[in-house]
Amino acid sequence: MPSFIDGPTFRSLLRPSTNGRRTKISDSGGGGGGGGGLFRMFKLMPMLSSGCKMVALLGRHNKALLADHATTVTLFGHRRGRVSLAIHEDTRAPPLFLIELPMLTSALHREISSGVVKLALESDTRSARRRLVEEYVWAVYCNGRKAGYAIRRKEASDDERHVLRLLRGVSMGAGVLPAAPEKEGGLPSGPDGELTYVRARVERVVGSKDSEAFYMINPEEGGNGGDSGTGGGGTPELSIFLVRMK
């Protein structure tokens, strides 16, 4: 059965290019090995200890550093655990969309090393009363390959709240976070307790009430100019698609 990425649902999500035409979305994760700003930062960043002073300082901020309330996407998880995805319209507020993906953090790191990550989430349930981001059950694809199924969280876990609290003042970046204290429900400190994260500002494209896309804005471009989010290669380093099948 072909990936639904090849289907007509994605026509409304094709990203506008600078010349007024639209760029076709490929279901392949290859061809982006150059890797632009944020992913290159992630690959070159040394593995910091769980006592990262910078993140600890950022965690003390009560106010986000994003003055324009840009939409942000955060992928995070324990090194040997599963990846969580959070989408924020405002990092000071609870996430618009929060889900634990059916893939390990180590698997995501391997995809990042390719330079391009496309996450596609498909819901085959329909409710006239629910917005797309309020659907619960999702089939998850990563770079065209089906990873499994996941259920959207109504509320963040203690571990997830800890991460989002630390990153409240971070607009974009990648690295390692200190684990939550055991008394707060976190894992013991050590290799399994470390949390890695990638946070990016994104361009949100609404195709219809049944389709949305989030394209990473390249930190090197700052969202201005023709190749924002593409790392110079024409394809965003990180793209996330939410689709409700008709």
Side-chain angles (χ1 to χ4, degrees):
M1 183 176 182
S3 167
F4 75 95
I5 296 176
D6 294 323
T9 308
F10 271 88
R11 292 174 186 170
S12 61
L13 295 178
L14 298 181
R15 190 176 189 277
S17 61
T18 55
N19 60 5
R21 292 177 293 180
R22 293 181 176 267
T23 303
K24 184 178 179 181
I25 301 300
S26 168
D27 68 344
S28 169
L38 186 58
F39 280 9
R40 185 171 65 234
M41 179 197 308
F42 183 85
K43 288 182 282 187
L44 296 180
M45 178 174 288
M47 288 296 97
L48 305 175
S49 70
S50 59
C52 178
K53 293 182 180 179
M54 179 58 74
V55 173
L57 289 172
L58 288 170
R60 295 175 189 170
H61 285 281
N62 293 321
K63 197 171 184 180
L65 302 180
L66 278 174
D68 57 357
H69 307 302
T71 302
T72 63
V73 163
T74 312
L75 292 161
F76 61 94
H78 293 284
R79 290 185 185 278
R80 299 183 182 178
R82 293 196 175 195
V83 181
S84 291
L85 164 66
I87 300 175
H88 280 91
E89 291 183 323
D90 183 345
T91 55
R92 294 172 294 184
L96 173 73
F97 184 83
L98 178 64
I99 195 168
E100 184 181 74
L101 302 176
M103 59 186 300
L104 297 176
T105 305
S106 57
L108 175 65
H109 291 178
R110 287 193 296 271
E111 298 296 340
I112 287 176
S113 68
S114 75
V116 175
V117 173
K118 296 188 179 80
L119 290 172
L121 282 70
E122 171 194 343
S123 174
D124 59 5
T125 59
R126 293 187 58 81
S127 172
R129 298 184 179 181
R130 281 203 294 264
R131 295 185 301 158
L132 177 62
V133 294
E134 295 173 343
E135 294 293 355
Y136 286 102
V137 181
W138 297 86
V140 179
Y141 298 77
C142 181
N143 285 346
R145 297 181 295 275
K146 190 170 184 177
Y149 291 88
I151 298 177
R152 178 182 66 84
R153 294 190 186 278
K154 294 181 69 174
E155 296 183 1
S157 66
D158 290 340
D159 235 13
E160 290 165 337
R161 277 193 292 268
H162 168 75
V163 172
L164 298 177
R165 183 169 61 249
L166 283 180
L167 295 177
R168 188 179 301 167
V170 178
S171 60
M172 62 182 69
V176 178
L177 297 170
E182 292 183 61
K183 63 181 180 181
E184 296 181 12
L187 295 180
S189 59
D192 292 343
E194 287 183 342
L195 287 155
T196 61
Y197 78 94
V198 175
R199 169 166 282 185
R201 299 174 69 175
V202 295
E203 174 190 357
R204 185 178 183 181
V205 177
V206 178
S208 69
K209 64 183 177 65
D210 295 317
S211 60
E212 293 188 23
F214 302 84
Y215 297 99
M216 185 181 119
I217 298 172
N218 190 336
E220 294 180 348
E221 301 293 339
N224 298 317
D227 292 326
S228 62
T230 67
T235 300
E237 289 181 300
L238 174 63
S239 305
I240 297 172
F241 307 95
L242 303 182
V243 177
R244 183 162 47 193
M245 302 304 288
K246 298 181 178 180

